[in-house]
């Protein structure tokens, strides 16, 4: 069936506006939304609690999850309602913007020779300002050219391509143009409906030639330098750095990898928790089985249960027999990333499954036994998460048989240069202009920056710079603007004085490292004052006992 799509998504609700059924007008919408919307049906969600519309609205527009929709509300059987949702079609704008990125001129005409679209390069060649609307203007009104030698008009007349014709002509405004032109007829069936012309000036040809030579060299380098086998996962070889804090974490991870104990990785976002999790799995006796990861912060809580435990066909409208992550990881490892982002109710369901060593699919009646090693992670102090009611204490103790703390980048800045060189070398083959070093000013900025996003942020900054670099050295102008603003604000910041008792290593003077150093000194002084009594010290500092112990271990304070 062909023709116009009348809806992409159709919800059927009862008289109380509870979602009962959902239908899809195309496969793309079903693929994107079916898992989420089927859960809405199962939970009989009120249509107005999930879409930004009110019960009184019969039609209109709204934004949802970054997409623009128009909708229409129609009466349905049994006093219910149909909600027809049509997603805005951006295809024309996508084509327009894509053509504007081409380095050669592109002109599109209808079958009568009237302009439909000129891309940005074509306007520059013809000196046509962006404010002038060319749509509907005839080619011969735009250019002073003989119809018989016009590449486009010849193509429309002969209904055949004209390849690489050199033309010297003038625009109606008097600009002189020398260019090579190629035009193709555009057809629907056997009928010509228009033509497209591609134009290049000598300057464009020269620039393209230079780019092609550089690209050819880069392709040769790629063949020599790129990995021959597909990336199959991280190992401990991917942990870069020799700082004391980092190597302590690696040593513990390697020691316990072969055991079957559950592991809790504690570290800020971007410190490499996924690398450690995969490395532990690949060094374990379970390495031949699957490693399955779930980012608890990225998945809505309504979906996590079905993703973990799977679904049973017939349990709700549209449900299928689908295994969950526990089944997929059978005999292997399940990584629950950022566990503290999961709701407490979902945490209790996981705890029960671990206690019983079995689970049921959503809507299922049969217990499924499981043999899965759990590695989990927290991006905050887990004891503080427990205090803030973000993490169940009983689940924490079950999953933290071994707890490994991963240092933030600010805690092992001695590894900064090694990390930079590793990433530049590992990714150089991916770029036509491969940068292999940093300008001294860039390295100075890197060393003074606090890196709140840790190693992940560092690598993203390097990727950004490599995309802009036009040589083998990354300079300040290649960095993201927020880093340059950080540099300017640091210069303007007024000086201050520190406590006379405080002394710092100014060679490692990022803000985060100074704060950590200061906190460590305060804790040491407090411990000494209270005779190293953990409980009294924690009370004096306004901390829970577990949180103080976490910091003592974090800073390597000897008691």
């Amino acid at each position: 069936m062909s023709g116009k799509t009348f809806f992409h998504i159709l919800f059927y609700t009862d008289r109380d506006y509870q979602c009962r059924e959902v239908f899809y007008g195309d496969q793309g919408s079903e693929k994107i939304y079916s898992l989420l919307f089927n859960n809405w049906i199962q939970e009989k969600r009120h249509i107005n609690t999930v879409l930004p519309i009110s019960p009184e609205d019969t039609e209109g527009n709204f934004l949802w999850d970054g997409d623009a929709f128009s909708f229409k509300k129609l009466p349905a059987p049994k006093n219910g309602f149909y909600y027809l949702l049509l997603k805005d079609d951006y295809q024309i704008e996508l084509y327009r913007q894509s053509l504007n990125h081409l380095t050669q001129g592109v002109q599109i005409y209808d079958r009568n020779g009237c302009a439909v679209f000129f891309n940005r390069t074509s306007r520059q060649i013809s000196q046509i300002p962006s404010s002038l609307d060319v749509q509907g203007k005839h080619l011969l009104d735009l250019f002073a050219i003989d119809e018989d030698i016009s590449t486009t008009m010849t193509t429309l007349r002969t209904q055949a391509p004209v390849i690489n014709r050199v033309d010297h002509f003038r625009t109606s405004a008097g600009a002189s143009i020398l260019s090579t032109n190629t035009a193709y007829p555009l057809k629907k069936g056997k009928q010509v409906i228009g033509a497209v012309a591609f134009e290049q000036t000598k300057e464009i040809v020269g620039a393209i030639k230079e780019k092609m030579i550089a690209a050819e060299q880069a392709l040769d380098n790629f063949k020599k330098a790129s990995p021959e086998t597909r990336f199959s996962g991280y190992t401990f070889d991917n942990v870069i750095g020799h700082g004391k804090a980092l190597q302590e974490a690696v040593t513990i991870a390697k020691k316990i990898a072969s055991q079957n104990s559950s592991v809790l990785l504690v570290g800020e976002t971007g410190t490499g928790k996924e690398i450690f999790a995969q490395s532990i799995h690949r060094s374990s006796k379970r390495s031949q089985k699957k490693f399955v990861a779930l980012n608890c912060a990225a998945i809505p809580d309504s979906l996590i249960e079905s993703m973990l435990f799977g679904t049973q066909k017939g349990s709700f409208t549209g449900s299928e027999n689908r295994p969950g992550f526990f089944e997929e990881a059978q005999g292997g490892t399940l990584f629950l990333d950022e566990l503290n982002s999961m709701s407490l109710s979902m945490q209790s369901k996981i705890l029960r499954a671990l206690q019983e060593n079995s689970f049921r699919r959503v809507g299922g009646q049969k217990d499924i036994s499981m043999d899965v090693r759990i590695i989990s992670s927290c991006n905050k102090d887990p004891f503080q998460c427990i205090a803030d009611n973000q993490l169940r204490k009983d689940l924490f103790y079950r999953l933290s048989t071994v707890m490994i703390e991963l240092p933030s980048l600010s805690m092992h800045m001695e590894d900064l240069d090694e990390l930079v060189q590793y990433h530049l070398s590992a990714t150089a083959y991916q770029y036509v202009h491969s940068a292999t070093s940093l300008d001294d000013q860039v390295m100075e900025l890197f060393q003074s920056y606090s890196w709140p996003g840790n190693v992940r942020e560092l690598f993203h900054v390097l990727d950004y710079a490599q995309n802009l670099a036009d040589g083998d050295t990354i300079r300040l102008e290649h960095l993201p603007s927020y880093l340059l603003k950080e540099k300017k604000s640091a210069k303007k910041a007024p000086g201050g004085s520190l406590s006379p008792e405080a002394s710092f290593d100014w060679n490692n003077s990022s803000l985060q490292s100074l704060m950590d150093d200061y906190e460590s000194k305060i804790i040491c002084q407090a411990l000494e004052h209270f005779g190293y009594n953990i409980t009294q010290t924690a009370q004096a500092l306004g901390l829970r006992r577990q949180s103080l112990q976490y910091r003592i271990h974090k800073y390597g304070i000897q008691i």
Side-chain angles (χ1 to χ4, degrees):
M1 180 178 178
S2 61
K4 184 178 179 181
T5 300
F6 291 100
F7 67 87
H8 290 114
I9 303 160
L10 185 151
F11 283 107
Y12 166 66
T13 73
D14 58 23
R15 68 180 69 183
D16 297 320
Y17 294 97
Q18 292 180 325
C19 296
R20 293 292 186 172
E21 290 186 89
V22 61
F23 306 93
Y24 302 95
D26 64 298
Q27 291 182 344
S29 298
E30 183 173 10
K31 186 175 181 180
I32 295 172
Y33 299 111
S34 61
L35 188 58
L36 175 62
F37 289 174
N38 288 341
N39 274 273
W40 289 3
I41 302 300
Q42 180 190 7
E43 298 168 4
K44 299 179 182 178
R45 292 280 194 98
H46 194 288
I47 188 73
N48 307 124
T49 66
V50 291
L51 297 179
I53 54 181
S54 65
E56 296 80 19
D57 294 334
T58 56
E59 59 181 301
N61 303 280
F62 64 87
L63 286 172
W64 183 81
D65 197 26
D67 290 325
F69 288 88
S70 57
F71 79 93
K72 196 171 187 67
K73 174 183 171 185
L74 299 172
K78 300 181 180 179
N79 295 323
F81 302 97
Y82 289 126
Y83 281 87
L84 282 71
L85 276 58
L86 190 65
K87 188 189 294 188
D88 282 2
D89 190 352
Y90 295 118
Q91 283 191 354
I92 299 298
E93 186 60 26
L94 291 172
Y95 294 147
R96 184 187 304 275
Q97 292 192 29
S98 297
L99 291 172
N100 276 330
H101 286 293
L102 292 181
T103 55
Q104 60 183 327
V106 179
Q107 298 180 357
I108 302 175
Y109 296 88
D110 66 18
R111 63 184 177 184
N112 298 314
C114 294
V116 174
F117 173 77
F118 284 12
N119 77 337
R120 185 184 298 117
T121 304
S122 179
R123 285 176 172 271
Q124 291 170 351
I125 293 172
S126 301
Q127 299 180 25
I128 298 174
S130 58
S131 58
L132 178 62
D133 185 7
V134 299
Q135 189 170 1
K137 297 184 182 296
H138 198 277
L139 181 148
L140 299 180
D141 293 330
L142 292 167
F143 302 101
I145 187 172
D146 191 319
E147 182 175 354
D148 292 334
I149 65 170
S150 164
T151 304
T152 301
M153 297 304 293
T154 302
T155 292
L156 289 172
R157 184 176 63 254
T158 63
Q159 300 187 15
V162 177
I163 309 295
N164 291 333
R165 175 185 284 179
V166 178
D167 288 335
H168 190 189
F169 55 94
R170 293 183 179 275
T171 67
S172 58
S176 179
I177 301 171
L178 174 62
S179 63
T180 64
N181 301 276
T182 295
Y184 297 95
L186 303 176
K187 298 182 178 182
K188 185 173 183 180
K190 295 182 179 180
Q191 182 181 5
V192 172
I193 59 173
V196 59
F198 301 94
E199 53 182 342
Q200 297 176 338
T201 62
K202 185 177 180 179
E203 292 75 18
I204 290 175
V205 171
I208 291 176
K209 184 178 179 181
E210 287 183 10
K211 289 181 179 180
M212 290 301 101
I213 293 173
E216 183 180 29
Q217 183 62 51
L219 290 170
D220 290 338
N221 293 339
F222 188 93
K223 287 182 180 179
K224 298 173 185 176
S226 64
E228 295 182 1
T229 57
R230 185 180 177 185
F231 177 70
S232 59
Y234 295 109
T235 68
F236 286 114
D237 292 336
N238 297 109
V239 181
I240 307 302
H242 293 84
K244 181 180 177 182
L246 182 64
Q247 284 304 307
E248 283 181 355
V250 172
T251 299
I252 296 172
K254 286 181 176 179
K255 282 183 178 180
I256 57 89
S258 61
Q259 308 301 321
N260 205 35
S261 305
S262 58
V263 181
L264 176 64
L265 303 171
V266 180
E268 297 174 4
T269 298
T271 51
K273 297 186 289 293
E274 172 100 11
I275 295 177
F276 269 78
Q278 289 193 28
S279 300
I280 292 170
H281 169 73
R282 285 178 171 80
S283 297
S284 73
K285 298 173 184 177
R286 297 173 176 266
S287 59
Q288 300 305 309
K289 298 292 185 179
K290 289 187 71 173
F291 173 90
V292 181
L294 175 68
N295 187 333
C296 303
I299 308 297
D301 199 53
S302 59
L303 297 182
I304 288 181
E305 183 175 7
S306 59
M307 291 181 71
L308 281 176
F309 299 116
T311 57
Q312 192 70 31
K313 186 174 183 179
S315 57
F316 57 88
T317 303
S319 63
E320 301 176 357
N321 286 325
R322 181 180 297 170
F325 285 5
F326 275 115
E327 287 179 77
E328 287 187 32
Q330 189 73 356
T333 303
L334 175 61
F335 177 44
L336 300 175
D337 192 15
E338 298 193 14
L339 180 67
N340 52 294
S341 298
M342 185 185 293
S343 71
L344 294 178
S345 62
M346 192 63 232
Q347 289 181 33
S348 66
K349 294 177 182 179
I350 292 177
L351 177 63
R352 179 174 178 81
L354 296 176
Q355 289 173 336
E356 301 295 330
N357 220 26
S358 65
F359 63 93
R360 290 184 180 184
R361 290 182 178 181
V362 175
Q365 303 297 321
K366 177 183 176 183
D367 288 333
I368 301 174
S369 61
M370 64 179 187
D371 173 25
V372 178
R373 183 184 194 177
I374 304 294
I375 300 178
S376 54
S377 77
C378 284
N379 58 1
K380 299 178 182 177
D381 175 358
F383 299 108
Q384 191 62 49
C385 289
I386 292 172
D388 294 339
N389 208 30
Q390 295 176 339
L391 183 64
R392 287 182 62 109
K393 183 186 295 186
D394 44 8
L395 181 62
F396 164 74
Y397 286 118
R398 180 166 285 275
L399 294 181
S400 62
T401 305
V402 178
M403 187 165 70
I404 302 175
E405 297 169 33
L406 307 187
S408 61
L409 178 54
S410 62
M411 292 178 64
H412 61 112
M413 288 291 284
E414 64 269 30
D415 293 328
L416 180 64
D417 186 61
E418 184 179 355
L419 286 164
V420 168
Q421 294 306 319
Y422 163 78
H423 193 70
L424 291 180
S425 298
T427 58
Y429 68 91
Q430 299 176 354
Y431 300 92
V432 173
H433 299 291
S434 55
T436 55
S437 62
L438 302 185
D439 181 85
D440 289 343
Q441 289 182 305
V442 174
M443 196 61 189
E444 180 183 344
L445 174 58
F446 279 15
Q447 289 171 339
S448 64
Y449 183 56
S450 60
W451 297 109
N454 297 292
V455 177
R456 180 183 296 154
E457 182 186 8
L458 171 64
F459 287 174
H460 285 178
V461 167
L462 291 173
D463 288 339
Y464 179 97
Q466 283 176 303
N467 278 292
L468 297 184
D470 49 6
D472 60 2
T473 303
I474 292 175
R475 301 187 299 276
L476 286 176
E477 59 263 31
H478 299 144
L479 300 180
S481 58
Y482 77 89
L483 274 181
L484 301 178
K485 291 177 182 177
E486 184 85 10
K487 179 180 174 65
K488 290 180 181 178
S489 62
K491 284 184 178 180
K492 294 179 181 177
S497 60
L498 295 171
S499 168
E501 294 84 11
S503 61
F504 300 100
D505 177 11
W506 294 104
N507 292 321
N508 184 21
S509 56
S510 72
L511 176 61
Q512 187 62 52
S513 64
L514 288 174
M515 292 174 65
D516 290 344
D517 195 15
Y518 198 64
E519 184 178 50
S520 173
K521 285 177 168 53
I522 290 175
I523 291 173
C524 286
Q525 291 180 16
L527 285 167
E528 184 177 358
H529 178 78
F530 289 102
Y532 296 93
N533 184 301
I534 301 294
T535 301
Q536 291 181 12
T537 303
Q539 290 175 347
L541 294 175
L543 298 172
R544 293 177 65 86
R545 177 185 173 89
Q546 296 98 322
S547 296
L548 176 59
Q549 288 176 324
Y550 170 79
R551 286 167 169 78
I552 290 172
H553 183 72
K554 173 181 178 181
Y555 298 124
I557 299 172
Q558 301 297 320
I559 298 181

